[in-house]
Amino acid sequence: TVVLEEAEEGGYTVTVPALPGCISEGDSYEEALDNIRDAIALYLRAIAKELELLKQQRQFTLTEVTV
């Protein structure tokens, strides 16, 4: 889920509530969505790299929990 807001100066600002700090913008609705897709991909790649570094430094287990 993303949140699109019209910017006062024109265009759109897009945020991803589930990914703190993941934000982008675009001159049009479509451009804003394209840009946030790229931003999300970069954000997730960065998290994956950090996770790999943690795995190398420590031993731990990742698991899913259903609520």
Side-chain angles (χ1 to χ4, degrees), residues 15-64:
T15 57
V16 184
L19 303 176
C22 188
I23 185 170
S24 192
E25 56 187 21
D27 292 331
S28 68
Y29 182 88
E30 294 80 15
E31 181 182 33
L33 288 179
D34 285 342
N35 291 344
I36 200 65
R37 283 185 190 99
D38 291 341
I40 291 168
L42 291 170
Y43 190 103
L44 295 177
R45 270 189 239 140
I47 289 174
K49 284 182 184 179
E50 287 182 33
L51 184 57
E52 282 303 313
L53 289 173
L54 281 174
K55 283 181 182 179
Q56 293 171 8
Q57 296 170 3
R58 296 186 172 138
Q59 256 191 340
F60 61 92
T61 303
L62 296 177
T63 189
E64 291 183 31

